[in-house]
Amino acid sequence: MEEGIKDNAASAPNSRPTNQLKALLPMRVLQVFLLFFVLVLGISVISMHMIKYLKIQTLAPSTLISTYDERITLESLIKPPLNGWHSMNDSELLWRASMEPRILDYPFKRVPKMAFMFLTKGPLPFAPLWERFFKGHEGFYSIYVHTLPNYRSDFPSSSVFYRRQIPSQHVAWGEMSMCDAERRLLANALLDISNEWFVLLSEACIPLRGFNFVYRYVSRSRYSFMGSVDEDGPYGRGRYSYAMGPEVSLNEWRKGSQWFEINRALAVDIVEDMVYYNKFKEFCRPPCYVDEHYFPTMLSIGYPDFLANRTLTWTDWSRGGAHPATFGKADITEKFIKKLSRGKACFYNDQPSQVCYLFARKFAPSALKPLLKLAPKVLGF
């Protein structure tokens, strides 16, 4: 029995390493497995990146680079929109239109164009007369039409007015929404980098000269034609509110015709304005008619030497009232039309001139037929 006990006691220490080895074996296997898993995962990630890299390198010369080039070409940047419609809201439109090249030398042959901007309620009753005016002068003009939001024009594809309607908003006479519409027209016209001069017209306006004469007269002028006068009395300074300060003082308050012609630099200044807009919107309300004061005041403050201080659109206010006289079929004679184009003396490039007006308003739709009859002889087109 003593020998048996001794034998058991002697064998006990030898059994401990065996048990420890058996306990460590699963741990080693687990470590090896985890190491193998990490290695496989790393190889997989590296392989995926290599495949993606090689795929890009393979596609780049034939597809990716060519697609990139098509989107970045100069032609794609300077090409005007095919039509007047787009999905931008006013904030996006004004922001986009305010982008202007700062290098004055264009890296392409730029033909300066005149942008004719029609602010209307709906139809253009004198469209046939304007069609004759524009005929044969493609590439020297562009057209933009702002109507009431629910109006859709139906001009044929052969018309110069086809697809020239822009996204619009409701306009109230004498309120800031009128200037919003004018800024909207300017902003859409600025999207065409070739537009250099911008003329605001209404559906009741007619041309008094042929296109060539109008183009030369505007393009050769050193000034933009925006009326901007310091007028005393209730309809001038009497509309000023001291709440307009400090941005606009009483001595800086100006009045002018709603219908203007301005160059590209002034058009950009109008669409990007954040200084005067809110002041006029809040403190120039009827009987202060903002469309007669906003642009004339802000431009006379910022660019007084750039303005001719007169309009190119003849209007008859002799009858009094809030609206000018309207002329119909019975008023249209050769003598009457000639008198409009050669009104009172004015200054052109600081020299006396007898040619003061290129457009006239306000005409009723009934005046169209006699105007078309007189156009070749009197209007020059």
Side-chain angles (χ1 to χ4, degrees):
M1 290 178 65
E2 291 177 357
E3 290 176 358
I5 291 172
K6 291 178 180 179
D7 292 337
N8 291 336
S11 63
N14 294 331
S15 64
R16 290 190 188 122
T18 303
N19 292 336
Q20 292 176 356
L21 182 62
K22 290 180 179 180
L24 289 173
L25 186 59
M27 186 65 70
R28 292 283 181 86
V29 173
L30 181 60
Q31 290 176 345
V32 172
F33 176 78
L34 289 174
L35 181 62
F36 178 78
F37 177 79
V38 171
L39 182 63
V40 171
L41 181 63
I43 294 173
S44 300
V45 172
I46 294 173
S47 299
M48 290 174 65
H49 282 284
M50 288 298 294
I51 292 172
K52 185 178 180 180
Y53 175 78
L54 291 174
K55 185 177 181 181
I56 291 175
Q57 293 297 314
T58 303
L59 292 175
S62 59
T63 58
L64 295 181
I65 289 179
S66 62
T67 303
Y68 182 81
D69 287 344
E70 290 174 3
R71 295 178 180 177
I72 305 293
T73 60
L74 179 62
E75 182 180 0
S76 67
L77 293 175
I78 64 174
K79 186 177 181 181
L82 295 176
N83 59 71
W85 208 258
H86 54 75
S87 60
M88 290 183 285
N89 60 35
D90 278 357
S91 297
E92 295 168 339
L93 174 64
L94 295 176
W95 177 81
R96 174 62 184 85
S98 67
M99 297 181 181
E100 274 291 286
R102 298 180 66 87
I103 299 177
L104 299 181
D105 293 332
Y106 292 90
F108 60 93
K109 185 179 180 181
R110 177 178 181 263
V111 178
K113 297 192 296 185
M114 289 187 65
F116 291 81
M117 308 177 300
F118 291 85
L119 180 58
T120 78
K121 294 180 179 179
L124 288 170
F126 294 101
L129 186 67
W130 286 104
E131 295 270 6
R132 289 193 185 182
F133 173 80
F134 290 118
K135 187 177 181 180
H137 303 286
E138 293 75 13
F140 291 91
Y141 68 86
S142 55
I143 297 172
Y144 304 87
V145 182
H146 187 292
T147 68
L148 292 176
N150 59 352
Y151 178 78
R152 291 292 179 270
S153 61
D154 57 353
F155 291 105
S157 58
S158 58
S159 171
V160 296
F161 295 99
Y162 178 66
R163 300 175 70 181
R164 301 315 305 164
Q165 187 174 346
I166 67 170
S168 62
Q169 299 291 334
H170 179 72
V171 175
W173 179 74
E175 297 183 5
M176 183 54 92
S177 59
M178 182 73 74
C179 293
D180 288 334
E182 295 171 10
R183 295 178 85 201
R184 202 173 292 124
L185 280 163
L186 285 170
N188 277 276
L190 283 168
L191 297 181
D192 186 342
I193 193 66
S194 294
N195 285 333
E196 184 63 29
W197 305 284
F198 304 78
V199 182
L200 181 67
L201 303 161
S202 76
E203 70 269 35
C205 286
I206 65 167
L208 295 177
R209 298 278 185 167
F211 182 88
N212 285 332
F213 187 95
V214 171
Y215 186 91
R216 288 195 302 268
Y217 192 96
V218 171
S219 62
R220 295 177 182 179
S221 173
R222 295 196 294 266
Y223 303 100
S224 287
F225 295 91
M226 171 79 73
S228 179
V229 297
D230 183 4
E231 182 179 311
D232 288 326
Y235 305 116
R237 287 196 171 204
R239 295 175 177 176
Y240 176 79
S241 168
Y242 283 94
M244 297 290 292
E247 287 81 3
V248 181
S249 68
L250 177 60
N251 291 331
E252 294 171 326
W253 184 255
R254 295 293 184 269
K255 181 182 179 181
S257 171
Q258 175 185 4
W259 315 102
F260 58 78
E261 179 281 320
I262 57 176
N263 62 27
R264 190 174 184 90
L266 298 185
V268 173
D269 195 64
I270 287 175
V271 302
E272 70 180 12
D273 172 48
M274 298 295 289
V275 176
Y276 303 101
Y277 178 86
N278 291 328
K279 285 285 185 175
F280 277 90
K281 184 177 183 180
E282 185 173 358
F283 300 112
C284 184
R285 297 179 179 181
C288 176
Y289 301 110
V290 67
D291 54 274
E292 295 181 351
H293 296 281
Y294 174 29
F295 298 157
T297 298
M298 68 166 288
L299 292 183
S300 69
I301 293 174
Y303 306 94
D305 297 331
F306 287 24
L307 304 180
N309 290 331
R310 65 181 179 91
T311 180
L312 291 178
T313 302
W314 180 89
T315 309
D316 182 9
W317 291 96
S318 62
R319 302 178 188 180
H323 300 280
T326 300
F327 301 93
K329 180 179 181 180
D331 299 302
I332 308 304
T333 64
E334 180 176 341
K335 181 179 180 181
F336 174 70
I337 298 300
K338 286 183 176 180
K339 182 184 73 172
L340 301 186
S341 61
R342 293 187 177 275
K344 62 180 182 179
C346 59
F347 284 90
Y348 177 76
N349 287 338
D350 301 320
Q351 298 297 321
S353 174
Q354 294 296 319
V355 180
C356 302
Y357 300 108
L358 303 181
F359 313 100
R361 67 185 303 270
K362 194 175 182 183
F363 290 85
S366 63
L368 175 62
K369 285 187 177 180
L371 284 171
L372 289 173
K373 185 176 181 180
L374 287 173
K377 182 178 181 181
V378 181
L379 303 180
F381 58 90

